[in-house]
């Protein structure tokens, strides 16, 4: 399984990422997920989220997650981008691409990957409230 992980402070250019997609003749599904910062959290209205990461440990944990995906589903490739630093409301903080032979396995793998990422990857979010 091909894998590419990017942790960046740069905005995510989803259109460019889709144009860069590479698949084989066996690929029947290209699944894209974009995690967008919404304008509210448990604490109320926000304007952005400031993401912080232990990057070395985050990479290690993502490798473990990708290893598990590879053993559980016949996935051709995964590309994952996670932004750190300040991400404003309506901007993407996460982008995942999964290429597989069939849509079912792509959906299952993506859902599991995101849930596992939230559980074990050391990326913390600090919601930014509007100034009074």
């Amino acid at each position: 399984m091909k894998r590419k992980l990017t942790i960046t402070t740069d905005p995510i250019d989803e259109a460019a990422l889709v144009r860069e997609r590479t698949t084989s003749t066996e690929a029947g599904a290209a699944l894209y997920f974009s995690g967008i910062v919404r304008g509210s959290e448990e604490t109320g209205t926000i304007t952005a989220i400031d993401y912080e990461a232990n990057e070395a440990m985050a990479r290690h944990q993502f490798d473990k997650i990708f290893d598990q995906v590879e053993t559980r589903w016949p996935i051709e490739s995964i590309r994952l981008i996670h932004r750190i630093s300040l991400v404003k409301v309506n901007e993407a903080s996460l982008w995942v691409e999964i290429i597989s032979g069939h849509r079912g396995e792509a959906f299952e793998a993506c859902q599991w990957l995101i849930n596992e990422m939230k559980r074990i990857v050391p990326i913390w979010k600090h919601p930014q409230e509007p100034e009074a």
Side-chain angles (χ1 to χ4, degrees):
M1 179 182 83
K2 291 188 249 176
R3 49 176 91 177
K4 183 175 182 184
L5 169 65
T6 304
I7 298 173
T8 183
T9 59
D10 296 332
I12 297 172
D13 184 346
E14 297 171 70
L17 290 164
V18 171
R19 284 191 304 270
E20 294 170 6
R21 178 189 78 211
T22 58
T23 61
S24 72
T25 58
E26 299 304 310
L31 177 70
Y32 306 105
F33 173 83
S34 184
I36 311 240
V37 173
R38 65 181 163 268
S40 63
E41 287 283 311
E42 297 84 30
T43 58
T45 301
I46 65 168
T47 59
I49 294 178
D50 190 10
Y51 288 92
E52 174 188 7
N54 175 327
E55 195 167 335
M57 184 55 97
R59 289 181 180 285
H60 174 75
Q61 294 298 86
F62 273 121
D63 279 342
K64 288 171 67 174
I65 290 169
F66 292 168
D67 288 346
Q68 289 181 53
V69 167
E70 188 170 21
T71 63
R72 293 177 72 166
W73 293 279
I75 301 300
E76 185 174 299
S77 68
I78 294 176
R79 274 196 301 173
L80 187 145
I81 300 170
H82 202 302
R83 280 182 71 184
I84 54 173
S85 74
L86 194 68
V87 182
K88 294 180 182 176
V89 167
N90 291 325
E91 292 183 355
S93 60
L94 174 68
W95 190 83
V96 180
E97 173 193 86
I98 297 184
I99 306 295
S100 66
H102 302 279
R103 69 180 182 277
E105 57 214 19
F107 280 113
E108 287 176 23
C110 187
Q111 179 78 37
W112 183 87
L113 182 153
I114 292 168
N115 288 340
E116 195 67 3
M117 175 196 81
K118 288 181 168 279
R119 191 176 75 80
I120 69 169
V121 176
I123 296 177
W124 305 278
K125 60 183 192 174
H126 307 286
Q128 306 296 299
E129 296 179 2
E131 294 183 22

